[in-house]
Amino acid sequence: MTPRKKVKGLVAATITPMTPDGKINLPVIGHYVDYLVNEQNVKNVFVNGTTGEGLSLSIQERKQLAEEWVSQGKDKLDHVIIHVGALNLPECQELARHAAAIGAGGIAVIAPFFFKPTNKDELVAFLQKVALEAPEVPFYYYHIPPLTGVKIRVEELLDGIKAQIPTFQGVKFSDTDLLDLAQCINKNETGEFEFLYGVDEQLLGALAIGANGAVGSTYNYLGRQTNLMLQAFAKPDFALAQQYQFLIGEFLNFVIKLGFGVAQTKAVMTFVSGIPMGPPRLPLVDASSEFIAKAKAKLDSIVWPDGN
Ligand SMILES: CC(=O)N[C@@H]([C@@H](O)[C@H](O)[C@H](O)CO)[C@@H](O)CC(=O)C(=O)O
């Protein structure tokens, strides 16, 4: 596999735009790419994940979305990572082959969560079979135990992983267990792997522990502010970085209390960006107009340290 530039900084977990009648809305994606790059300064995307309702889409839809993101992102985005996880191996493998064929910059796989792997060996055996279908594409394990219920510790998974999955590139770590993350980073002495953190409200803690970057839903519409937090952290100006994290947390704490998930993320992105993200797909249902009004008022009330 040819070495490529490592993923650093923010990765937007993309939303899947849908038409009012629930079909995927591909023509919006070109504008979406420009918005991320120009307005949010976010140049990496993670497609068909949780925020993208990947597990609620058909295989055909997932392929169309992957193709559109890769083609619209050409010469604009640094990395397009496609999530190819599914509940069954053949579909994961088909999506991995497809991602490789269209030139995706990386693939990621969630643990299957109906019949679940019960230990590290079972999980790695599954991931390995998917990775083998895309032997030239960097591979990420997508660790999100709050949704999959698969709690196998990542630090255990790392032992010997490169021998089993030669394309292994890193982990999208969407869990609050910072002890596990810290152990992973401690094991990654040579820095060969990337650890991309996925709990946006506590990213600063993960950065302090050594996360290389972050994948999340809020970078679609709070990418600019989160980038300023990363800059303050790198400077280092920890007091300023904390101010950003506290304000991001203030918004998320507010919306989480109202009930916050992918449907609400679609609504927030629509009012912030002006790009119509449309409704979510069942079983998710639209955010209420009350939620939208309150979330908008809250976001508008926040004065960011840079005065914007
Ligand atoms: C459970 C969940 O959806 N987590 C989000 C976070 O970005 C989350 O929306 C954010 O931290 C707000 O709670 C990401 O980790 C998911 C993600 O990156 C994805 O869409 O694949």
Side-chain angles (χ1 to χ4, degrees):
M1 199 174 77
T2 334
R4 58 91 150 115
K5 209 166 68 170
K6 285 216 161 75
V7 177
K8 282 204 325 204
L10 300 184
V11 183
T14 61
I15 294 161
T16 293
M18 289 187 190
T19 59
D21 62 346
K23 304 215 167 52
I24 57 169
N25 193 357
L26 295 176
V28 160
I29 289 173
H31 184 187
Y32 191 169
V33 169
D34 291 337
Y35 175 81
L36 288 177
V37 173
N38 300 328
E39 305 295 327
Q40 300 294 342
N41 193 20
V42 170
K43 296 185 86 183
N44 306 296
V45 293
F46 185 89
V47 177
N48 292 339
T50 305
T51 307
E53 301 173 85
L55 275 293
S56 301
L57 301 170
S58 70
I59 291 294
Q60 183 59 21
E61 288 173 322
R62 290 176 69 169
K63 287 183 180 175
Q64 289 175 300
L65 283 155
E67 285 166 26
E68 196 64 16
W69 278 100
V70 168
S71 90
Q72 294 293 340
K74 196 170 181 317
D75 303 325
K76 293 182 178 174
L77 296 173
D78 289 338
H79 295 278
V80 178
I81 301 172
I82 308 291
H83 173 240
V84 302
L87 292 189
N88 66 81
L89 190 53
E91 283 184 2
C92 295
Q93 291 174 312
E94 184 179 336
L95 288 169
R97 284 193 296 275
H98 175 261
I102 64 171
I107 57 171
V109 177
I110 205 166
F113 53 88
F114 185 68
F115 291 130
K116 297 180 179 51
T118 59
N119 58 47
K120 170 212 157 160
D121 292 339
E122 291 169 7
L123 175 57
V124 172
F126 184 92
L127 301 178
Q128 184 187 45
K129 291 239 184 259
V130 185
L132 274 173
E133 299 295 318
E136 296 293 324
V137 184
F139 180 91
Y140 296 84
Y141 168 51
Y142 180 2
H143 181 59
I144 185 160
L147 288 181
T148 60
V150 176
K151 298 189 168 95
I152 297 162
R153 287 174 68 77
V154 183
E155 56 114 348
E156 278 180 40
L157 183 118
L158 291 186
D159 290 330
I161 193 78
K162 206 64 186 170
Q164 289 157 305
I165 303 179
T167 50
F168 192 83
Q169 184 72 28
V171 180
K172 170 176 164 2
F173 194 106
S174 284
D175 191 25
T176 51
D177 184 350
L178 292 181
L179 172 60
D180 190 18
L181 179 67
Q183 295 305 299
C184 292
I185 289 166
N186 195 26
K187 279 186 174 169
N188 187 32
E189 274 171 6
T190 58
E192 64 178 327
F193 302 141
E194 294 154 19
F195 293 92
L196 305 172
Y197 195 58
V199 185
D200 312 3
E201 45 278 55
Q202 53 192 62
L203 172 58
L204 189 54
L207 291 176
I209 275 170
N212 306 88
V215 184
S217 66
T218 62
Y219 312 133
N220 285 292
Y221 55 88
L222 291 176
R224 187 188 69 80
Q225 294 87 338
T226 311
N227 268 312
L228 292 172
M229 181 177 93
L230 297 192
Q231 274 173 31
F233 179 76
K235 201 171 174 189
D237 180 344
F238 297 133
L240 182 61
Q242 278 175 349
Q243 276 186 53
Y244 278 105
Q245 185 69 95
F246 292 157
L247 291 171
I248 291 164
E250 190 180 318
F251 175 69
L252 287 173
N253 198 36
F254 179 84
V255 290
I256 286 167
K257 281 189 198 153
L258 295 176
F260 187 65
V262 170
Q264 289 70 25
T265 293
K266 288 185 117 160
V268 173
M269 180 61 171
T270 301
F271 72 67
V272 175
S273 68
I275 305 171
M277 291 296 149
R281 181 163 286 175
L282 284 167
L284 302 183
V285 295
D286 256 332
S288 66
S289 44
E290 189 192 351
F291 171 89
I292 296 172
K294 287 185 172 167
K296 186 168 181 333
K298 181 70 190 173
L299 202 51
D300 289 346
S301 76
I302 294 177
V303 180
W304 299 95
D306 67 342
N308 290 309

